Amino acid sequence: VMNISVDDAEGMKLDASNNRPVPQEVTDIIQSQHEILTEEISKSIEFYTATSSDFPIQKLYLTGGGAQTPGLKSHIHNVTQIPVEFFNPLMGIEIDRKKFTHEYITQIAPLCAVSIGLGLREVGDR
């Protein structure tokens, strides 16, 4: 444990995600979290496979703030042996390029999946 604030930890995670130098301890913590997350994903896949073998999983999609941390995509693929891709929830949505730069859209896209999904729901959806 590094004994730093949440804001400082988030900043270091973002630095690592943007390929900026971070202390080795940060890299080690990120890799440790990748292992924990991948173990949970593997358990979910095993459960799904045991209960729904008629429809095998062909691809995994990553999104969210942590999806871009270095090594996560390849670690999940190496453990599960299932192709892994980043999911862009803004794909197919028209964006006014005069108001938002390409860099900004690329930066926020992984964070938009839940809000876009909720925005697409209709009254009565479950």
Side-chain angles (χ1 to χ4, degrees), residues 55-97:
F55 302 100
I57 297 172
Q58 297 177 0
K59 193 177 291 184
L60 301 173
Y61 292 94
L62 292 179
T63 191
Q68 302 293 328
T69 55
L72 178 60
K73 180 180 169 188
S74 60
H75 186 70
I76 293 171
H77 172 69
N78 290 339
V79 171
T80 65
Q81 295 300 301
I82 298 173
V84 180
E85 289 185 13
F86 293 115
F87 176 69
N88 179 357
L90 298 176
M91 181 175 51
I93 295 177
E94 286 188 37
I95 297 170
D96 186 343
R97 297 296 177 170

Side-chain angles (χ1 to χ4, degrees), residues 43-58:
K43 288 177 183 178
S44 294
I45 291 169
E46 288 172 15
F47 176 78
Y48 174 81
T49 302
T51 59
S52 304
S53 61
D54 294 340
F55 302 100
I57 297 172
Q58 297 177 0

Side-chain angles (χ1 to χ4, degrees), residues 14 18 62-68 87-91 93-97 99-116:
L14 292 174
N18 291 309
L62 292 179
T63 191
Q68 302 293 328
F87 176 69
N88 179 357
L90 298 176
M91 181 175 51
I93 295 177
E94 286 188 37
I95 297 170
D96 186 343
R97 297 296 177 170
K99 293 182 180 179
F100 303 104
T101 65
H102 175 75
E103 292 78 20
Y104 178 72
I105 296 303
T106 301
Q107 180 184 6
I108 67 159
L111 307 175
C112 296
V114 172
S115 58
I116 289 174

Side-chain angles (χ1 to χ4, degrees), residues 5-67:
S5 71
V6 172
D7 289 340
D8 288 344
E10 182 67 16
M12 288 185 188
K13 181 187 81 171
L14 292 174
D15 285 345
S17 297
N18 291 309
N19 295 314
R20 294 186 202 115
V22 294
Q24 182 61 42
E25 189 174 5
V26 171
T27 303
D28 294 344
I29 291 169
I30 289 171
Q31 289 174 348
S32 170
Q33 294 305 304
H34 287 177
E35 291 172 13
I36 292 167
L37 178 60
T38 303
E39 184 178 334
E40 291 300 319
I41 291 170
S42 293
K43 288 177 183 178
S44 294
I45 291 169
E46 288 172 15
F47 176 78
Y48 174 81
T49 302
T51 59
S52 304
S53 61
D54 294 340
F55 302 100
I57 297 172
Q58 297 177 0
K59 193 177 291 184
L60 301 173
Y61 292 94
L62 292 179
T63 191

